[in-house]
């Protein structure tokens, strides 16, 4: 039941959510909300960017296999951006500190201080997209692991400003806590205006559904 | 006589057109490849009192700004606003037609 409630809490905020690796730092003075769901976790991230270099906010996650939650303060830092004539590349550092809570098995009702630290890199032009993302999660006795994700994408057509944009993407993820550690997820990314959504189904049959909103 | 009248008419009307202030800018930037990300430009300039309209051209890597009458944006300030939106400004020029 608590699992259902945790999932429902994430979904309740889905109206203001966004995709995991779309753009973790907004423009100066901008807000962003991201909500993600995949085989590993459900998450909600809401952040404010005082400058175009970093964002601060809230991160809440529910990890499905370990059956535990994380709630904490999140920071994303744009370490480097290359603005090129027809492409853009970025390197981000991402971290969060907070509390992990589990009501699963031996950890029934247990809370632990927890933190995450990760590195993201992406490159895109108007036709091709590629990204890499890793993340170390430390939740004391409850859980700890390093997971990685990489994506490639292609736009089947080049849309103009204000059009509906479509990307076909393939994500490969590695999570050592899963029995089958590698997962392949083909997906579609759509965005128009301030809204970005992603929908995919993994080779294990798990649904990926991400939403992002900037405001 | 017709020529004189024509020249006279031109002398009267041309200054009127010339007096109209060109209040648009074309800003060339790099990194302008993603529509979703480029929303930051609209939001950044949309908050500015000087700006009446913003148009982003992903194909040309260009931002067309229409300023309100009597308003102006200095190049240094424009460059900072572009930076705040996450892009790099290459050049800026008057964005009025026939110039």
């Amino acid at each position: 039941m608590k699992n259902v409630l945790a999932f429902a809490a994430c979904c309740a905020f889905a109206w203001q959510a966004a995709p995991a690796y779309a753009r973790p730092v907004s423009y100066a003075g901008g807000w962003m909300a991201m909500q993600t769901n995949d085989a590993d976790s459900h998450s909600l991230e809401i952040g404010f960017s005082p400058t175009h270099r970093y964002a601060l906010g809230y991160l809440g996650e529910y990890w499905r296999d370990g059956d535990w939650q994380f709630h904490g303060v999140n920071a994303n830092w744009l370490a480097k951006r290359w603005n090129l004539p027809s492409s853009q590349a970025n390197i981000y550092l991402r971290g969060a500190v907070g509390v992990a809570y589990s009501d699963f098995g031996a950890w029934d009702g247990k809370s632990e201080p927890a933190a995450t630290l990760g590195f993201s890199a992406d490159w895109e032009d108007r036709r091709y997209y590629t990204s890499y993302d890793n993340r170390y999660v430390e939740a004391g006795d409850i859980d700890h692991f390093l997971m990685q994700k990489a994506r490639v994408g292609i736009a089947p057509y080049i849309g103009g400003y204000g059009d509906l944009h479509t990307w076909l993407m393939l994500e490969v993820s590695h999570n050592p806590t899963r029995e089958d550690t590698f997962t392949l997820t083909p997906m579609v990314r759509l965005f128009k205006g301030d809204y970005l959504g992603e929908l995919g189904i993994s080779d294990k049959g798990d649904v990926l559904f991400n939403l992002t909103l900037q405001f | 006589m017709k020529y004189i009248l024509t020249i006279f008419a031109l002398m009267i009307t041309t200054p009127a057109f010339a007096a109209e202030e060109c209040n648009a800018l074309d800003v060339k930037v790099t990194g302008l490849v993603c529509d979703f990300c480029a929303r930051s430009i609209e939001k950044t300039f949309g908050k500015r009192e000087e700006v009446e309209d913003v148009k982003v051209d992903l194909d040309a890597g260009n931002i067309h700004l229409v300023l309100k009458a009597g308003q102006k944006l200095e190049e240094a300030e424009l460059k900072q606003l572009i930076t705040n939106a996450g892009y790099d400004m290459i050049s800026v020029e008057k964005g009025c037609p026939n110039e």
Side-chain angles (χ1 to χ4, degrees):
Chain A
M1 182 60 184
K2 283 186 177 174
N3 295 352
V4 175
L5 288 174
F7 178 69
C10 285
C11 291
F13 289 96
W15 63 274
Q16 50 185 0
Y21 315 106
R23 189 58 64 98
V25 178
S26 189
Y27 62 98
W31 286 82
M32 195 159 218
M34 295 180 274
Q35 205 271 316
T36 69
N37 310 276
D38 62 18
D40 295 311
S41 65
H42 307 287
S43 77
L44 171 68
E45 182 176 337
I46 300 172
F48 173 73
S49 297
T51 78
H52 75 288
R53 281 287 185 184
Y54 71 97
L56 299 169
Y58 162 79
L59 173 65
E61 291 178 304
Y62 169 68
W63 292 92
R64 298 173 64 177
D65 279 352
D67 194 6
W68 61 276
Q69 301 172 36
F70 172 85
H71 299 279
V73 177
N74 186 69
N76 299 324
W77 178 50
L78 171 61
K80 180 69 180 170
R81 168 168 290 166
W82 290 270
N83 281 318
L84 304 169
S86 57
S87 66
Q88 188 185 77
N90 301 285
I91 292 176
Y92 296 97
L93 295 178
R94 312 174 71 182
V97 291
V99 175
Y101 169 81
S102 177
D103 61 358
F104 178 65
W107 311 125
D108 191 13
K110 186 178 180 64
S111 293
E112 286 270 351
T116 73
L117 188 64
F119 159 89
S120 300
D122 64 68
W123 173 89
E124 69 181 299
D125 64 9
R126 297 185 69 198
R127 176 70 71 182
Y128 301 104
Y129 174 92
T130 182
S131 69
Y132 168 78
D133 183 277
N134 69 27
R135 200 161 165 238
Y136 180 70
V137 178
E138 175 59 61
D141 291 336
I142 294 174
D143 213 346
H144 56 91
F145 55 87
L146 172 71
M147 63 181 300
Q148 303 177 77
K149 293 182 178 182
R151 284 186 182 188
V152 291
I154 184 168
Y157 62 90
I158 305 294
Y161 189 71
D163 294 342
L164 173 68
H165 293 257
T166 304
W167 286 82
L168 305 176
M169 292 184 162
L170 180 66
E171 177 183 283
V172 57
S173 66
H174 178 258
N175 183 343
T177 65
R178 285 202 302 255
E179 193 171 318
D180 192 351
T181 55
F182 282 97
T183 302
L184 275 176
T185 308
M187 73 184 79
V188 178
R189 171 186 280 188
L190 299 169
F191 55 86
K192 182 173 174 59
D194 293 326
Y195 300 89
L196 187 155
E198 295 174 333
L199 182 64
I201 298 178
S202 78
D203 58 347
K204 316 287 190 308
D206 292 300
V207 173
L208 176 147
F209 178 59
N210 299 329
L211 286 171
T212 299
L213 168 65
Q214 55 182 349
F215 49 99
Chain B
M1 185 61 186
K2 273 185 182 176
Y3 294 116
I4 293 169
L5 286 174
T6 304
I7 290 166
F8 183 68
L10 282 170
M11 287 173 68
I12 292 172
T13 55
T14 304
F17 284 112
E20 275 189 21
E21 189 183 355
C22 169
N23 228 11
L25 301 169
D26 278 325
V27 188
K28 199 86 174 168
V29 300
T30 52
L32 197 58
V33 293
C34 163
D35 182 306
F36 184 73
C37 315
R39 296 284 146 183
S40 63
I41 290 167
E42 264 190 13
K43 292 181 189 296
T44 297
F45 285 102
K47 291 177 181 173
R48 300 291 302 196
E49 282 186 0
E50 305 93 329
V51 178
E52 186 167 295
D53 193 27
V54 185
K55 285 191 168 55
V56 176
D57 185 343
L58 296 176
D59 293 323
N62 189 71
I63 302 163
H64 182 72
L65 295 172
V66 179
L67 304 181
K68 290 176 183 168
Q71 299 286 333
K72 63 177 182 178
L73 272 173
E74 299 297 341
E75 186 169 336
E77 189 174 14
L78 190 58
K79 190 169 187 175
Q80 186 58 54
L81 290 168
I82 298 289
T83 301
N84 288 346
Y87 298 91
D88 292 329
M89 188 173 93
I90 299 301
S91 63
V92 57
E93 55 190 38
K94 290 282 188 183
C96 303
N98 306 322
E99 283 203 6

